Amino acid sequence: MSKQPQESRNTNGHMPETMPIFPLGGALLLPGGQLPLNIFEPRYLRMVDDALARHRMIGMIQPRETGSNTEKPPLYGIGCAGRLTSFSESDDGRYMITLTGLRRFRVLEELSVDTPYRQITADWSDFAGDGTPDPTAEMIDRERLLAAMEMYLDAEGLKTDWDAVEEAPSEALVVSLAMGCPFAGNEKQALLEAGDMATRAECLIALMEMSSVDDTKTDTMIQ
């Protein structure tokens, strides 16, 4: 017998039992981060409409390598729920939305549904600390983080406002860089699944350092 989603509300800090999901390769949402999205596919326009009418929650999750099945690719087992905190509609019917990351979830089961978008039953128990201050943030090696960031941006030909960077808390920098840097899908997933902020920062620094070294080697070979 097919399981259908049950109506649930995000009240008093409780997370919904069932939730629509948006599988999007390379898109990472972390607790505390903000992810702008341009929605134009009809199934996801419907998803946003339904989310606005319910608990305003959408689960961002990455598809695994898909092969030929692009309509319903297999998914990673862990994603992050975002609350729809900004919404506007363009003249041509697209939605511009912003999701604010709240808490990670583990996929218990994908539901059999009549909606054009996918829905899952979520288990939140492994990530009860998301959204609360992480004491390991104080362990972040900020000097190494900024050095890796500078090397990475230089290798990618990118610029940033270094005055703003110097003023930003290390935790906010880690979230922003992890979400914004164009890492591979499995690397984004590793950042998502990191157990705490210090571990995520170490993973991020390693990825930026490795990417900078690889870009330097490529430039040398081309010359």
Side-chain angles (χ1 to χ4, degrees):
M1 182 177 180
S2 298
K3 293 191 177 182
Q4 298 293 324
Q6 302 174 3
E7 182 72 16
S8 66
R9 295 283 172 182
N10 180 29
T11 57
N12 300 320
H14 297 298
M15 306 301 285
E17 178 184 355
T18 63
M19 183 173 51
I21 54 169
F22 189 5
L24 186 60
L28 176 62
L29 178 63
L30 291 172
Q34 292 194 322
L35 181 65
L37 294 168
N38 182 5
I39 307 296
F40 56 88
E41 287 190 54
R43 56 180 166 170
Y44 296 126
L45 293 171
R46 165 77 180 278
M47 178 187 69
V48 171
D49 287 338
D50 290 351
L52 286 169
R54 294 181 64 203
H55 43 53
R56 302 174 69 92
M57 301 276 287
I58 294 172
M60 294 301 301
I61 193 164
Q62 290 206 120
R64 295 181 181 271
E65 295 298 326
T66 59
S68 59
N69 184 11
T70 56
E71 282 300 309
K72 196 173 182 181
L75 305 172
Y76 279 101
I78 295 174
C80 182
R83 182 169 176 80
L84 212 158
T85 52
S86 175
F87 171 91
S88 63
E89 185 175 4
S90 67
D91 292 338
D92 58 2
R94 290 176 293 115
Y95 292 166
M96 280 69 72
I97 67 172
T98 298
L99 293 180
T100 297
L102 295 182
R103 187 167 166 183
R104 291 170 294 173
F105 61 87
R106 191 178 299 275
V107 177
L108 280 182
E109 180 181 21
E110 181 163 357
L111 299 168
S112 176
V113 292
D114 295 328
T115 55
Y117 55 86
R118 301 165 73 174
Q119 301 188 53
I120 55 103
T121 299
D123 177 8
W124 309 94
S125 59
D126 289 344
F127 308 106
D130 286 356
T132 62
D134 185 340
T136 71
E138 298 180 2
M139 301 165 54
I140 295 173
D141 186 342
R142 186 177 179 90
E143 185 176 345
R144 185 176 167 215
L145 173 64
L146 294 181
M149 178 182 175
E150 184 175 10
M151 277 198 316
Y152 178 82
L153 294 179
D154 184 61
E156 296 291 325
L158 302 173
K159 297 186 181 299
T160 192
D161 182 348
W162 284 104
D163 290 336
V165 168
E166 291 293 341
E167 294 178 2
S170 297
E171 188 169 0
L173 278 178
V174 170
V175 170
S176 177
L177 287 166
M179 288 180 55
C181 291
F183 299 126
N186 62 328
E187 295 169 337
K188 292 268 191 180
Q189 193 66 23
L191 290 165
L192 174 68
E193 295 185 17
D196 53 44
M197 187 56 64
T199 304
R200 180 171 294 131
E202 284 297 317
C203 180
L204 173 65
I205 290 169
L207 288 171
M208 290 193 295
E209 289 176 342
M210 287 190 297
S211 179
S212 301
V213 170
D214 290 343
D215 286 345
T216 300
K217 287 181 178 179
T218 301
D219 289 343
T220 302
M221 291 175 63
I222 292 174
Q223 291 174 0

